[in-house]
Amino acid sequence: MPIRNDWTIEEIADLYRTPLLTLVSRASAVHAAMHTYEEIQCCTLLSIKTGGCPEDCSYCPQAARYDTGLGAEKLMDADLVIDAARNARDAGATRFCMGAAWREVRDNSDFDRVLEMVRGVGGLGLEVCCTLGMLTAAQAERLADAGLHAYNHNLDTSRSFYEKVISTREYDDRLATIDNVRKAGITVCSGGIIGMGESEMDRIAFLHTLATLRPHPESVPINALVPVPGTPLGEQPPIDPFELVRMIACARILMPEARVRLSAGRLSLSNEAQALAFLAGANSIFTGERLLTTPNPSENADEGLLRTLGVKPMPPHGVEFSITEPIAGER
Ligand code: SAM
Ligand code: DTB
Ligand code: SF4
């Protein structure tokens, strides 16, 4: 299957406007050729530093300027984070992602502690991922040296809609961090959010930016906005689940090798809608009862869903895995 980085905006607009069942069926064929329906990556998130963020991202409950009932906490102890990662692994997760409500990483003792967490979590045989805000090239290299496998930094939406959602940083800042991550040899996890009031053209332009990155991100999280009261987007109406399926199908066709993650918003999807998203090419989810600060489906619900669909957790990158391994939450 050829991997293209030269998609035109017109091609992506045509793709996005394809009748849904035709689109899902094309995406599914790409998925079957490049991946398997029988494995889904299970990632668990932990907020290692919650709230008090100086940025003004309109969707985010952790921005200090919005009253969402979240206080500003300090960075967690490394030992507690590593314990949480062990629990996540024992519950079936194969990737552990640590999130901090920072605008950017600073070269201080907190960063040293994050590096200790990366080493500790990596030592458990998990794929280790961080999302800490903007990074310099030197900081990305230090994370790579500590064994960081992936860095999450979302483009979130189109360049033109971005400034309606966030005013405290620019789209090019995001692209520069992604470039620093890539150059340090860390895999890139970058996607976005739908349901923020963006137009169809914004979604098309957002997919175009992602699909013309060279190389494509290894992981593409597609989040449905979790509207949090107190944020400017707290009253946004929920999206139609078929729109999420459409985004996932497009991402699968445009970036055949990527892991496409059905990310935030699963609590408002039926099992049937999630199954359609998997058929359309999603092969990664967040497991565990909390995303960063908002709820996620219970372990029991996910265990039931994966069992019904005959899906097993994808083994972590570069770690031996037995096919008799129980599915998430089964032990
Ligand atoms: N502060 C860092 C940053 O912004 O890059 C890392 C953490 S931040 C919470 C990670 C991502 O979570 C954001 O880029 C956004 O895509 C997603 N996110 C935050 N709040 C969300 C919400 N209410 N619904 C869906 N996704 C959300
Ligand atoms: C991503 O794309 N989604 C995750 C992860 N990357 C860091 C975060 C979702 C956050 C949802 C709101 C919350 O729980 O605070
Ligand atoms: Fe801060 Fe990240 Fe939330 Fe924006 S998305 S307010 S940068 S924690």
Side-chain angles (χ1 to χ4, degrees):
M1 168 117 357
I3 306 299
R4 289 182 50 198
N5 308 80
D6 62 351
W7 297 99
T8 65
I9 198 98
E10 292 76 20
E11 283 177 305
I12 297 181
D14 284 349
L15 183 69
Y16 188 90
R17 293 175 182 143
T18 305
L20 188 69
L21 296 181
T22 306
L23 180 67
V24 168
S25 130
R26 276 184 59 194
S28 210
V30 173
H31 192 57
M34 302 297 289
H35 305 273
T36 161
Y37 294 114
E38 292 169 25
E39 273 184 6
I40 285 182
Q41 181 189 42
C42 295
C43 313
T44 294
L45 280 166
L46 178 68
S47 179
I48 59 172
K49 195 272 165 224
T50 303
C53 184
E55 301 279 75
D56 71 351
C57 312
S58 302
Y59 48 73
C60 186
Q62 303 200 67
R65 64 192 76 201
Y66 311 135
D67 186 7
T68 61
L70 275 182
E73 290 172 22
K74 292 207 168 104
L75 181 66
M76 283 175 70
D77 282 341
D79 286 350
L80 289 179
V81 171
I82 294 163
D83 285 348
R86 191 177 297 108
N87 290 339
R89 182 194 66 184
D90 292 347
T94 53
R95 172 146 153 171
F96 191 70
C97 180
M98 298 175 273
W102 285 333
R103 167 180 166 77
E104 75 247 302
V105 168
R106 305 241 168 98
D107 295 299
N108 57 17
S109 57
D110 274 0
F111 186 37
D112 295 337
R113 202 191 295 172
V114 171
L115 295 171
E116 188 186 336
M117 294 172 192
V118 170
R119 285 188 286 267
V121 174
L124 297 172
L126 283 159
E127 276 185 31
V128 45
C129 174
C130 281
T131 180
L132 313 168
M134 293 184 270
L135 285 184
T136 64
Q139 289 163 343
E141 271 166 33
R142 289 184 71 194
L143 284 163
D145 289 345
L148 189 71
H149 177 80
Y151 195 81
N152 167 252
H153 203 64
N154 289 338
L155 288 174
D156 277 339
T157 188
S158 67
R159 182 183 281 276
S160 61
F161 195 66
Y162 198 78
E163 62 189 41
K164 302 200 174 74
V165 179
I166 299 156
S167 77
T168 49
R169 56 166 194 263
E170 308 217 326
Y171 212 60
D172 286 328
D173 297 329
R174 288 315 256 188
L175 289 166
T177 290
I178 290 172
D179 198 42
N180 289 337
V181 168
R182 176 62 75 207
K183 284 187 179 135
I186 298 168
T187 66
V188 171
C189 171
S190 189
I193 307 178
I194 66 164
M196 302 191 291
E198 70 286 346
S199 66
E200 186 179 279
M201 220 33 234
D202 287 315
R203 291 184 189 167
I204 292 165
F206 158 67
L207 285 166
H208 181 253
T209 305
L210 280 180
T212 52
L213 290 175
R214 288 172 196 267
H216 294 152
E218 283 78 3
S219 301
V220 179
I222 304 290
N223 297 274
L225 175 74
V226 180
V228 178
T231 61
L233 294 176
E235 302 299 319
Q236 273 297 118
I239 51 138
D240 179 339
F242 288 127
E243 294 184 49
L244 202 54
V245 170
R246 183 177 290 284
M247 282 302 280
I248 285 170
C250 289
R252 170 52 66 227
I253 293 168
L254 296 169
M255 295 167 280
E257 290 180 314
R259 288 176 191 170
V260 177
R261 186 168 309 119
L262 174 61
S263 303
R266 282 199 304 122
L267 258 188
S268 44
L269 296 183
S270 67
N271 278 354
E272 293 82 355
Q274 294 187 63
L276 190 60
F278 298 142
L279 205 57
N283 60 348
S284 179
I285 54 173
F286 287 122
T287 52
E289 303 199 346
R290 188 152 283 280
L291 291 163
L292 288 171
T293 66
T294 63
N296 197 41
S298 70
E299 267 176 39
N300 278 346
D302 279 345
E303 182 198 330
L305 175 63
L306 296 192
R307 187 185 291 117
T308 303
L309 300 180
V311 172
K312 293 191 167 58
M314 192 182 288
H317 179 84
V319 176
E320 283 298 314
F321 184 74
S322 141
I323 51 163
T324 57
E325 190 89 355
I327 63 167
E330 209 175 46
R331 359 179 160 198

